[in-house]
């Protein structure tokens, strides 16, 4: 009996979404194909390498095809001490990564989209140097992954809007 009710609810939900004109963002094959054709220029430093790797994964970069777009990235990293102890030593840090990007058409060389994303993460600072370095590197990786995810969403939304206009 529960299966019948669940099937009826799913069917009703599908009919409702079909009637309102809802289209999934990645439902358009043109959006996915254009995301594949973005080549990311690696910014300098460890965080630049991390965000490029995450963007290559997120955009599913097509290695065999010539890119249609090139993405230039500029990163800004800031670290704020939080959670000060009595002896004025931070026990926790806030790491903020800002990624500004410009998407350039490879054929014309003109910028076609600009944007900026920001990720904010926190991490503990340990008394042991190795543990502290590891925590900071993990924060850099988490922030780079979040910025890459936000850039992917912004690009997909922009490409979907380009396809409708």
């Amino acid at each position: 009996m529960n299966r019948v009710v669940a099937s009826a609810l799913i069917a009703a939900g599908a009919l409702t979404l079909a009637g309102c004109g809802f289209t999934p963002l990645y439902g358009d094959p043109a959006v996915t194909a254009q995301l594949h054709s973005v080549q990311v220029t690696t910014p300098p430093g460890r965080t630049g390498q991390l965000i490029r790797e995450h963007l290559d994964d997120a955009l599913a970069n097509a290695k065999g095809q010539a890119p249609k777009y090139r993405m230039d990235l500029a990163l800004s990293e800031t670290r704020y001490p939080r959670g000060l102890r009595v002896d004025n030593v931070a026990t926790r840090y806030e790491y903020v990564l800002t990624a500004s990007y410009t998407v350039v058409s490879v054929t014309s060389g003109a910028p076609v989209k600009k944007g900026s994303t920001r990720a904010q993460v926190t991490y503990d600072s340990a008394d042991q140097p190795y543990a502290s370095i590891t925590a900071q590197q993990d924060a850099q990786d988490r922030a780079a992954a979040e910025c890459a995810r936000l850039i992917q969403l912004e690009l997909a939304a922009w490409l979907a809007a380009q396809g409708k206009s």
Side-chain angles (χ1 to χ4, degrees):
M1 188 64 176
N2 288 338
R3 283 186 168 174
V4 174
V5 173
S7 298
L9 287 174
I10 290 172
L15 288 175
T16 303
L17 287 177
C20 75
F22 172 77
T23 304
L25 181 60
Y26 298 104
D28 184 3
V31 170
T32 307
Q34 288 187 6
L35 280 175
H36 295 326
S37 67
V38 176
Q39 177 187 16
V40 180
T41 304
T42 308
R46 180 180 189 281
T47 308
Q49 183 68 29
L50 289 170
I51 196 166
R52 189 201 49 87
E53 288 174 0
H54 287 295
L55 278 169
D56 282 349
D57 290 344
L59 301 176
N61 196 343
K63 300 289 184 194
Q65 298 176 357
K68 293 181 184 175
Y69 302 105
R70 183 186 78 239
M71 179 187 297
D72 298 325
L73 289 166
L75 302 180
S76 170
E77 302 174 86
T78 311
R79 192 174 79 141
Y80 301 103
R82 302 287 189 232
L84 297 176
R85 296 189 312 206
V86 177
D87 59 354
N88 208 26
V89 174
T91 60
R92 192 156 186 78
Y93 284 93
E94 178 182 345
Y95 176 77
V96 179
L97 176 64
T98 304
S100 301
Y101 65 91
T102 303
V103 178
V104 177
S105 171
V106 173
T107 55
S108 69
V112 292
K113 166 113 176 88
K114 290 184 179 189
S116 181
T117 62
R118 183 176 189 264
Q120 180 177 336
V121 297
T122 60
Y123 64 95
D124 288 333
S125 176
D127 290 333
Q128 296 84 16
Y130 179 75
S132 187
I133 291 170
T134 302
Q136 183 176 357
Q137 289 177 345
D138 179 63
Q140 288 174 325
D141 187 42
R142 289 183 291 134
E146 180 63 16
C147 279
R149 186 186 68 80
L150 293 171
I151 290 172
Q152 176 199 15
L153 287 173
E154 286 182 14
L155 282 180
W158 173 72
L159 291 169
Q162 293 296 318
K164 292 181 180 178
S165 58

